Amino acid sequence: MVSSAGDNVCETLSEPLSQVMTLLGKRWTGVVWSTLMQGPVYFSDLKRGIPGINDRILNERLVELVDLGLATRTVIDGRPIRVRYELTGRGAAIRPALDELTRWAQEHLQPPAR
Amino acid sequence: MVSSAGDNVCETLSEPLSQVMTLLGKRWTGVVWSTLMQGPVYFSDLKRGIPGINDRILNERLVELVDLGLATRTVIDGRPIRVRYELTGRGAAIRPALDELTRWAQEHLQPPAR
DNA sequence: TGGGTTACTTAGAAAAAGTAAGTGGGGTCG
DNA sequence: CGACCCCACTTACTTTTTCTAAGTAACCCA
């Protein structure tokens, strides 16, 4: 769609941006992905470190990230058994975007009501 | 939470990033926001330009963006009446993040199956 | 035994998103 | 006139997603 004189006709969003926004458009994906940015984390620590998330969705989102090749899952055979998740290079490469999102939010979103 | 020697204990995500990820974590918000980036658009053109979105959710997401001060809504009293949506300065300021997301997706997401 | 840990899994409820049709205001055409 | 079109929502209902709560199996300890 091309913008004609004076009209506000709208172009379809670029496929890459549309795809990543669809990815982020599932509840908790962005939060989990961003949290993994700090390095390898155990499932239980992720659960404790993300306020409001439930086991079920945490597991589901982690599986999705792993299936997309954005994270790896490593079973640590200790007592008790623990599972560690870590971003792959591809998953970690989104950092510049996260930095820009953080910058935008710091400037334009207000702190939550206390 | 502080990472102790050898442990993978996890820090809570920064509040700004958590907030913007929660915003983007609603289906269609990111797609609608990104689409408005190209300039003022009529509701009907938005609907035609975003494959897969329905009136109901499009309206709801636009209302949310307006309520958050990220977009404005202007009624154009023509024949037929039309409504135009446009990002505010705050809403438009997210562009650097969108550019980074696009860059990441171009490099790390594969094109959808044909 | 009861309590704790772990990473899921299951069952059902609640919320969100999707689908289809409608509303009220306008218009054109046969 | 009726039938169709446009517009921006709105309504009613269905389907999907997310949430809540409890459970599982494997371990540990007092």
Side-chain angles (χ1 to χ4, degrees), chain A residues 16-78:
Chain A
L17 187 51
S18 175
Q19 279 194 307
V20 69
M21 281 304 183
T22 300
L23 242 186
L24 293 174
K26 291 184 81 169
R27 181 84 173 103
W28 295 113
T29 297
V31 170
V32 172
W33 193 346
S34 303
T35 304
L36 284 172
M37 209 72 225
Q38 61 188 274
V41 203
Y42 293 126
F43 182 96
S44 50
D45 291 328
L46 269 176
K47 188 166 71 172
R48 274 189 291 264
I50 303 180
I53 199 165
N54 65 77
D55 291 8
R56 213 183 154 302
I57 290 296
L58 177 56
N59 184 61
E60 194 173 302
R61 293 296 169 273
L62 288 167
V63 167
E64 284 156 11
L65 288 173
V66 170
D67 286 350
L68 285 167
L70 303 177
T72 56
R73 176 182 177 276
T74 310
V75 180
I76 312 293
D77 239 337

Side-chain angles (χ1 to χ4, degrees), chain B residues 73-94:
Chain B
R73 177 181 177 277
T74 310
V75 180
I76 313 293
D77 237 338
R79 297 288 183 271
I81 202 169
R82 306 187 85 181
V83 180
R84 191 180 66 205
Y85 291 87
E86 177 167 18
L87 290 182
T88 60
R90 287 174 62 212
I94 204 164

Side-chain angles (χ1 to χ4, degrees), chain B residues 10 12-13 16-17 21-22 30 33-34 48-49 53 56 60 63 65 74 76 89 94:
Chain B
C10 140
T12 304
L13 199 54
L17 187 51
M21 281 304 183
T22 300
W33 194 346
S34 303
R48 276 188 291 264
I53 199 166
R56 213 184 147 295
E60 194 174 303
V63 167
L65 288 173
T74 310
I76 313 293
I94 204 164

Side-chain angles (χ1 to χ4, degrees), chain B:
Chain B
M1 290 194 224
V2 184
S3 175
S4 36
D7 282 4
N8 297 287
V9 177
C10 140
E11 288 199 8
T12 304
L13 199 54
S14 79
E15 195 56 40
L17 187 51
S18 176
Q19 280 192 307
V20 67
M21 281 304 183
T22 300
L23 243 185
L24 294 173
K26 292 184 80 169
R27 181 85 171 101
W28 295 113
T29 295
V31 170
V32 173
W33 194 346
S34 303
T35 305
L36 284 171
M37 208 75 226
Q38 62 189 270
V41 204
Y42 293 127
F43 182 94
S44 49
D45 290 328
L46 268 176
K47 187 165 74 169
R48 276 188 291 264
I50 303 181
I53 199 166
N54 65 73
D55 290 10
R56 213 184 147 295
I57 292 295
L58 177 56
N59 184 61
E60 194 174 303
R61 291 298 167 272
L62 288 166
V63 167
E64 284 156 11
L65 288 173
V66 170
D67 286 350
L68 286 167
L70 302 177
T72 57
R73 177 181 177 277
T74 310
V75 180
I76 313 293
D77 237 338
R79 297 288 183 271
I81 202 169
R82 306 187 85 181
V83 180
R84 191 180 66 205
Y85 291 87
E86 177 167 18
L87 290 182
T88 60
R90 287 174 62 212
I94 204 164
R95 177 180 281 285
L98 298 187
D99 291 343
E100 290 296 340
L101 285 169
T102 303
R103 188 167 297 127
W104 179 86
Q106 280 167 346
E107 193 166 346
H108 297 290
L109 287 183
Q110 37 201 357
R114 287 265 357 204

